[in-house]
């Protein structure tokens, strides 16, 4: 389904403003549609922040989504800004970097992100990848394709730590990564043991390098 995302987001924003008024803090877009890398069936990762969130607000938001085209593709993040500001700071760093703001601002969330949040994001992502590799190899023996999204996020945070630049588009990030990291992202299905070993070595090095100093 080909969508005009600018029109879709404008319709969403107008409906949200009518429903919530001054309570609406921010509307944004994340994921592949924000990066310009979406396919016809890619999710619409909408971000909606209110001053606070109650169950009745979810009912209202669901009704708004039900009235929009491509309802089955709509997903994303909704929260009160009070809760978002208390969110895990490593995840909050990634959240803000990955959001195109359409209405309002993320100023409140940005203000509470500490300087070491990107470092935390690398460490946390590498830990999750390390564990997933071990669990999969021992208990599932499935392909590691499901780790690709986590690996992209972790490499985005790592590149930011190393250079001070956050590159959102995958096609722009890939060429500037070291060859070994490019290979992790572009590995073709093949030997599970070999791919697991490469990911384990990379994740282990990141876990040690980006651990919070004591």
């Amino acid at each position: 389904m080909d969508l005009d995302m600018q029109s879709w987001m404008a319709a969403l924003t107008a409906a949200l403003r009518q429903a919530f008024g001054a309570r609406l803090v921010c509307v944004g877009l994340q994921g592949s549609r924000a990066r310009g890398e979406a396919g016809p069936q890619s999710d619409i990762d909408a971000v909606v922040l209110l001053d606070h969130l109650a169950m009745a607000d979810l009912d209202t938001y669901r009704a708004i989504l039900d009235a929009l085209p491509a309802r089955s593709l709509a997903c994303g993040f909704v929260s009160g800004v009070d809760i978002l500001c208390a969110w895990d700071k490593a995840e909050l760093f990634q959240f803000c970097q990955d959001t195109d703001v359409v209405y309002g601002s993320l100023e409140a969330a940005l203000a509470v992100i500490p300087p070491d949040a990107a470092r935390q994001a690398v460490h946390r992502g590498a830990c999750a990848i390390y564990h997933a590799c071990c669990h999969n190899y021992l208990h599932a023996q499935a392909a590691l394709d499901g780790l690709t999204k986590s690996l992209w996020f972790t490499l985005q945070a790592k590149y930011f730590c190393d250079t001070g630049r956050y590159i959102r588009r995958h096609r722009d990030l890939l060429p500037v990564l070291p060859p070994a990291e490019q290979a992790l992202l572009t590995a073709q299905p093949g030997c599970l043991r070999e791919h697991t070993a490469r990911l384990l070595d990379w994740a282990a090095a990141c876990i040690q390098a980006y651990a919070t100093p004591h």
Side-chain angles (χ1 to χ4, degrees), residues 121-141:
V122 178
H123 188 260
R124 191 157 304 168
C127 287
I129 290 168
Y130 187 96
H131 169 68
C133 283
C134 293
H135 183 276
N136 178 72
Y137 190 73
L138 292 173
H139 307 297
Q141 288 285 305

Side-chain angles (χ1 to χ4, degrees), residues 19-92:
F20 296 112
R23 295 187 54 213
L24 184 62
V25 176
C26 183
V27 180
L29 183 66
Q30 296 181 333
S32 60
R33 291 192 181 271
R35 296 193 303 268
E37 298 176 336
Q41 293 301 314
S42 294
D43 290 339
I44 303 171
D45 294 296
V47 171
V48 176
L49 301 179
L50 303 176
D51 54 352
H52 62 273
L53 184 70
M55 192 67 200
D57 299 323
L58 291 178
D59 292 330
T60 300
Y61 183 34
R62 184 166 67 176
I64 289 171
L65 290 174
D66 287 344
L68 291 174
R71 173 65 175 96
S72 63
L73 300 180
C75 62
F77 183 88
V78 58
S79 174
V81 72
D82 52 342
I83 297 300
L84 185 66
C85 288
W87 210 263
D88 178 272
K89 297 305 183 284
E91 290 189 12
L92 190 58

Side-chain angles (χ1 to χ4, degrees), residues 160-177:
F160 179 87
C161 286
D162 295 344
T163 68
R165 295 175 58 219
Y166 191 92
I167 301 180
R168 292 181 60 194
R169 290 180 173 83
H170 295 174
R171 61 176 178 265
D172 295 332
L173 177 64
L174 185 63
V176 300
L177 293 175

Side-chain angles (χ1 to χ4, degrees), residues 101-167:
V101 174
V102 175
Y103 171 83
S105 80
L106 291 171
E107 182 178 350
L110 289 167
V112 300
I113 297 175
D116 67 341
R119 186 184 190 92
Q120 293 177 34
V122 178
H123 188 260
R124 191 157 304 168
C127 287
I129 290 168
Y130 187 96
H131 169 68
C133 283
C134 293
H135 183 276
N136 178 72
Y137 190 73
L138 292 173
H139 307 297
Q141 288 285 305
L144 291 170
D145 298 348
L147 292 180
T148 302
K149 184 175 181 180
S150 296
L151 184 58
W152 275 112
F153 276 124
T154 305
L155 287 170
Q156 284 172 319
K158 182 176 181 291
Y159 189 80
F160 179 87
C161 286
D162 295 344
T163 68
R165 295 175 58 219
Y166 191 92
I167 301 180

Side-chain angles (χ1 to χ4, degrees), residues 145 148 151 180-191 195 198-199:
D145 298 348
T148 302
L151 184 58
E181 293 179 344
Q182 291 183 29
L184 291 177
L185 289 167
T186 58
Q188 298 298 312
C191 178
H195 192 192
R198 289 199 300 265
L199 272 174

